[in-house]
Amino acid sequence: MTATGNPGESLRGCLKSLCLSHAGVPVPLHRTLYMAVDDPNSLPVKQLQNIPSVQLAFDPDEQGEAAARVVKKLLPQSKRLKWKASDWNQQLRDYLHKHKQQRNLEQD
């Protein structure tokens, strides 16, 4: 998972959206937040409970399995992604590319 959980981060995101909006750049209705945590217990669970789609990306080892189980208990709406690419950075790039293609098809 990826992002900071820093309260100021949300404000900066809003300000960035406002700046983009005033610059004539369209701000997407659906946004993606990536959050990296070293311990599932450090997740901002209260803020994430109301997000309908939380996707988990953990290594396919014993530690990753254990972390995924903990997060699944904290956030029952979460779904674990399976490793398909060479590493998680590539997996996220592939996912973003696929997501953009789907969005383009929906808009046509």
Side-chain angles (χ1 to χ4, degrees):
M1 285 180 57
T2 51
T4 63
N6 180 348
E9 206 54 41
S10 177
L11 178 59
R12 280 191 286 278
C14 291
L15 292 175
K16 184 177 179 182
S17 295
L18 273 173
C19 292
L20 288 173
S21 177
H22 285 291
V25 177
V27 177
L29 294 176
H30 301 284
R31 298 185 187 122
T32 302
L33 171 69
Y34 297 100
M35 182 178 300
V37 295
D38 59 352
D39 180 350
N41 294 315
S42 65
L43 282 170
V45 175
K46 186 176 179 182
Q47 291 83 355
L48 294 173
Q49 283 177 335
N50 296 322
I51 297 176
S53 177
V54 176
Q55 298 181 350
L56 310 175
F58 291 102
D59 289 338
D61 58 12
E62 193 174 311
Q63 262 186 313
E65 295 292 332
R69 282 193 300 274
V70 170
V71 174
K72 207 53 179 139
K73 285 181 184 176
L74 295 170
L75 301 168
Q77 79 278 27
S78 63
K79 178 183 175 190
R80 180 149 187 216
L81 297 175
K82 297 296 180 184
W83 189 304
K84 296 178 184 173
S86 58
D87 62 36
W88 277 113
N89 286 328
Q90 186 60 47
Q91 180 74 27
L92 290 172
R93 284 189 212 108
D94 293 348
Y95 176 78
L96 179 61
H97 179 72
K98 181 181 175 183
H99 187 69
K100 283 181 180 180
Q101 285 180 327
Q102 287 175 343
R103 204 181 297 162
N104 288 339
L105 288 174
E106 291 172 0
Q107 290 176 351
D108 290 341

